[in-house]
């Protein structure tokens, strides 16, 4: 019996023709990676200081023009001294910053951070810009946030205390050169100042007494700050850097005022000009203005006029002082800020 071949299987409709390929779905848009976002933020922060320079120029170009015109007519022999005093203020600020932290910081990056902080200080009130730059620098150096914030508090506390001692020492050293009768405020002004200070202190005490989380945070911060302060004052090098820099800083700033005043022929001695700056900056330092511009300027002009200067050269001296301490370091400071951000030191 012969075997017949079986018929070939008939393909099913599904196998007869291949199904059409599904339409390509659009690729899902992926969110940027954290590394890419970090690079973008660093580029933006690098360019931001240059934008701030342009904004500052547009907002205060008249002050720059007036100051430059006054300095153009000044005696050029004194202006290099003012520039030198301005540069040394950054060294003094770096010394205070190092003295306020137990760890040793790299000197050149620390100095560069203070040049950048000086430029940022003129953008925000109450030294917020300078403190923000320094806080970020300390964190990049491995300092924990609570201890970095405690060092900023110690820096802010030591500066007015040292300035007050320098002012008292100047009064004791040269009492005959300084006339205080025109500078002492009347009883009404003293009463208003005392009432205002008492009201602020009472409000702070009430706030701490009623808000428990805030009280806990403040107490923890104070414990950290006091622990670091006790440790620092067992280290002679840190004590010298902290208090020596804090005492030298206002004298260097006053040296800029005295140099500009001498170049413009202001009829006041160096001791009187140093006293005028110390008194004016102490009295107006509590007003939260960017870089102290405004209140300190008005108080400085008033103090110099009270000591015997004419209003016009006193005003010109303050304008020239601002050119040397604000405008001259502004561009290098902003470029330094950009470089530190680019090098990931901020």
């Amino acid at each position: 019996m012969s075997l017949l071949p079986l018929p070939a299987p008939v393909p099913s409709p599904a196998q007869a023709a291949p199904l059409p390929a599904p339409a390509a779905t659009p690729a899902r848009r992926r969110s940027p990676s954290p590394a890419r976002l970090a690079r973008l933020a660093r580029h933006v922060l690098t360019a931001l200081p240059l934008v701030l320079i342009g904004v500052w120029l547009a907002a205060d170009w008249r002050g720059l023009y007036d100051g430059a015109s006054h300095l153009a007519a000044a005696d050029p022999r004194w202006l290099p001294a003012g520039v030198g005093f301005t540069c040394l203020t950054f060294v003094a600020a770096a010394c205070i910053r190092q003295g306020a932290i137990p760890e040793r910081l790299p000197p050149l990056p620390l100095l560069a951070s203070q040049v950048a902080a000086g430029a940022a200080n003129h953008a925000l009130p109450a030294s917020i810009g300078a403190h923000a730059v320094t806080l970020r620098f300390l964190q990049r150096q491995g300092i924990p946030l609570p201890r970095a914030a405690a060092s900023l508090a110690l820096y802010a506390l030591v500066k007015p205390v040292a300035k007050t001692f320098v002012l008292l020492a100047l009064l004791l050293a040269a009492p005959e050169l300084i006339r205080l009768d025109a500078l002492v405020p009347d009883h009404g002004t003293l009463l208003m100042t005392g009432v205002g200070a008492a009201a602020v202190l009472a409000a702070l005490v009430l706030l701490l007494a009623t808000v428990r989380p805030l009280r806990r945070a403040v107490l923890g911060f104070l414990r950290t700050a006091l622990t670091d302060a006790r440790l620092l004052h067992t280290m002679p090098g840190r004590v010298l850097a902290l208090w020596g820099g804090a005492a030298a800083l206002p004298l260097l700033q006053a040296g800029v005022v005295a140099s500009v005043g001498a170049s413009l022929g202001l009829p006041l001695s160096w001791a009187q000009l140093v006293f005028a700056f110390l008194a004016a900056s102490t009295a107006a330092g509590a007003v939260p203005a960017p870089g102290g511009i405004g209140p300190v300027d008005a108080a400085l002009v008033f103090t110099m006029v009270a000591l015997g200067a004419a209003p016009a050269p006193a005003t010109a001296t303050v304008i020239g002082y601002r050119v040397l301490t604000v405008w001259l370091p502004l561009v290098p400071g902003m470029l330094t800020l950009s470089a530190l951000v680019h090098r990931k030191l901020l």
Side-chain angles (χ1 to χ4, degrees), residues 174-228:
E176 71 283 353
L177 298 177
I178 301 166
R179 300 180 303 172
L180 296 177
D181 50 351
L183 298 176
V184 177
D186 55 18
H187 292 81
T189 304
L190 290 176
L191 180 61
M192 292 179 59
T193 304
V195 170
V200 171
L201 182 60
L204 290 176
V205 172
L206 180 62
L207 187 64
L208 292 176
T210 54
V211 183
R212 186 174 181 180
L214 179 62
R215 183 173 66 251
R216 188 183 302 113
V218 170
L219 291 177
F221 171 78
L222 289 177
R223 281 193 294 268
T224 302
L226 290 176
T227 301
D228 277 3

Side-chain angles (χ1 to χ4, degrees), residues 177-184 268 272 275-276 298-311 314:
L177 298 177
I178 301 166
R179 300 180 303 172
L180 296 177
D181 50 351
L183 298 176
V184 177
L268 295 177
Q272 289 175 313
F275 169 78
L300 185 53
V301 171
F302 170 78
T303 307
M304 288 191 291
V305 171
L307 293 176

